[in-house]
Amino acid sequence: MARVVGMFKTLRTHWKKSTVGVCLCAWGGSWVYGKHCDNLLRRAACQEAQVFGNQSIPSSMQVKKATVFLNPAACKGKARNLFEKNAAPILHLSGLDVTIVKTDYEGQAKKLLELMENTDLIIIAGGDGTVQEVITGLLRRADEAAFSKIPIGFIPLGKTSTLSHTLYPESTNQVQCITNATLAILKGETVPLDILQIKGEKEQPVFAVTGLRWGSYRDTGVKVSKYWYLGPLKTKAAHLFSTLKKWPQKHQASLMYLGPTERPPEESEEKLPRAPLYVRIYRRLLQYWSHPAKEVPQEAAHEAWKEMKLSTIELSITTRNRKLDLTHTEDFMNICIEPDTVSKGNFINRGSQKMLDPQMCPEGSLCLQASKCILKLPEGTEGFFGLDSEEYEAMPVEVKLLPRKLRFFCDPQRRKQGLQAAVKYQQLW
């Protein structure tokens, strides 16, 4: 009893040191418990991957080859450690023949894709910038028609991983997010995603999964990290300082666009059984003896281009990949033209919202739907576009939608939700 009383007297006398010690012990216990939970997640994911690795395959079938494009610089240089600790063991236990290609500098992935040999899977380990580089290199190939059919997996390791919100369930735990994405690749469920082709007058085309942004919110968002010393106020501070340098901030351009196009039925991946020999002979004879059909000349369909002059604080051209929905009967991209009559207070508040949701189209904006558009900028226009969080010099460009161009691995639950939405849509109509 005397010891307990003595201990309380000591704590009371040195209450400052005691408070600091309790806080440190609580933080240390929380950190250790978090590491323990992460290890349990990794163990469960590896056990699930081992099930795939233990499956027997026919002797005539080769082991699937997976080519991983890893950007070690993603997530402030932590991507390599995150991949090797959370994703690599799962891939190796699954029985895949894994080849890891590490990029050393920006733009290298585009060049490596030109030299890539045949593979069964392409896995992108990085952020939005890595995805943009890989799909650009893939679709620039001369044989892109064949390579674009290869399914693509995405392991979110970057600071910005917009695509993960579409393909996988939301999770605040980074380890769980990475392991879920890696397991989704093994489960084999895929969804088709739209791609934007952005082409300048002289440059090679660039491709994007999310979209293009041009305007003041994007320019200010890039500078937010410079004010890191302001902590949670850095976002509002960056937008406030932006209004002090130049106001009003207007971006003028000319826009031509075509309306949506009807979505053709999706081709079935299942091959039909070959017809019997006598049926094939009958079809050949019928084709040989039948009179050739007269070709009716068709007039080229006139494309109804619409043109408009715009003055905006920000323009965004985005795909509809953000919300996985298989109900659409038309193919189009969304064009959001925000008004340039924004007060400084609204600019600061809206800028903070756009940091969390870059694709937000505020109330009062002009929203258009287009399958193709041409953006013409006045001479001497300076600044940059944001293509999937990557900067490109602003110039006149043609943006074209490539509907359902690439197939990405996704969580089976996500695909199920999209199919359920399609069934409900058909029942309503």
Side-chain angles (χ1 to χ4, degrees), residues 158-403:
K159 185 178 179 181
T160 55
S161 302
T162 309
L163 196 57
S164 64
H165 304 300
T166 300
L167 302 176
Y168 314 119
E170 297 288 341
S171 176
T172 56
N173 187 303
Q174 189 178 34
V175 174
Q176 186 174 20
C177 187
I178 295 173
T179 54
N180 286 344
T182 311
L183 288 173
I185 297 172
L186 305 183
K187 294 173 183 177
E189 295 286 349
T190 61
V191 290
L193 296 184
D194 298 340
I195 304 296
L196 292 185
Q197 175 184 287
I198 300 98
K199 187 176 182 181
E201 295 178 350
K202 299 180 180 179
E203 303 291 332
Q204 284 187 301
V206 179
F207 300 87
V209 180
T210 304
L212 177 149
R213 290 180 67 195
W214 175 55
S216 301
Y217 293 114
R218 191 218 71 87
D219 295 341
T220 308
V222 174
K223 301 175 183 178
V224 168
S225 59
K226 295 181 179 180
Y227 303 97
W228 58 269
Y229 50 85
L230 295 177
L233 299 177
K234 60 183 178 182
T235 301
K236 290 189 179 296
H239 288 83
L240 173 62
F241 295 151
S242 178
T243 60
L244 299 178
K245 292 180 181 178
K246 181 182 178 182
W247 193 262
Q249 300 183 7
K250 298 183 179 181
H251 296 73
Q252 297 178 340
S254 174
L255 180 69
M256 297 176 60
Y257 67 96
L258 292 173
T261 58
E262 187 177 353
R263 168 166 288 190
E266 189 171 0
E267 296 181 0
S268 176
E269 297 181 357
E270 297 181 1
K271 295 183 179 180
L272 297 176
R274 194 178 185 186
L277 178 61
Y278 68 89
V279 175
R280 300 200 304 271
I281 295 174
Y282 172 75
R283 289 175 180 173
R284 287 288 183 89
L285 292 175
L286 186 64
Q287 183 180 4
Y288 177 78
W289 292 108
S290 62
H291 297 286
K294 294 182 179 180
E295 295 184 0
V296 180
Q298 296 180 352
E299 296 182 359
H302 178 69
E303 294 182 327
W305 285 92
K306 299 178 182 179
E307 186 173 2
M308 62 180 297
K309 301 288 184 180
L310 58 91
S311 177
T312 178
I313 194 168
E314 179 152 297
L315 167 73
S316 62
I317 306 173
T318 58
T319 62
R320 295 183 296 167
N321 294 333
R322 183 181 179 184
K323 292 185 179 180
L324 190 59
D325 191 354
L326 306 178
T327 64
H328 300 298
T329 58
E330 291 182 324
D331 290 320
F332 59 85
M333 52 191 174
N334 294 315
I335 302 177
C336 178
I337 305 171
E338 301 185 34
D340 58 1
T341 55
V342 180
S343 65
K344 292 185 178 181
N346 287 337
F347 177 79
I348 296 171
N349 292 330
R350 194 171 294 170
S352 301
Q353 297 172 5
K354 276 188 165 287
M355 289 295 294
L356 301 175
D357 184 9
Q359 295 189 33
M360 181 186 70
C361 195
E363 186 178 353
S365 304
L366 176 60
C367 300
L368 305 174
Q369 297 177 348
S371 58
K372 186 178 181 180
C373 71
I374 298 175
L375 183 64
K376 297 180 180 179
L377 308 182
E379 287 189 20
T381 300
E382 299 179 351
F384 295 90
F385 290 143
L387 302 182
D388 288 359
S389 303
E390 290 293 297
E391 283 194 343
Y392 286 82
E393 183 180 355
M395 64 179 71
V397 292
E398 176 190 271
V399 184
K400 181 181 179 182
L401 179 70
L402 305 179

Side-chain angles (χ1 to χ4, degrees), residues 54-80:
N54 291 335
Q55 293 178 357
S56 59
I57 60 174
S59 57
S60 58
M61 184 182 297
Q62 295 182 347
V63 177
K64 286 186 177 182
K65 297 181 180 180
T67 304
V68 181
F69 289 89
L70 171 63
N71 179 12
C75 195
K76 298 181 180 180
K78 300 177 183 177
R80 179 177 178 178

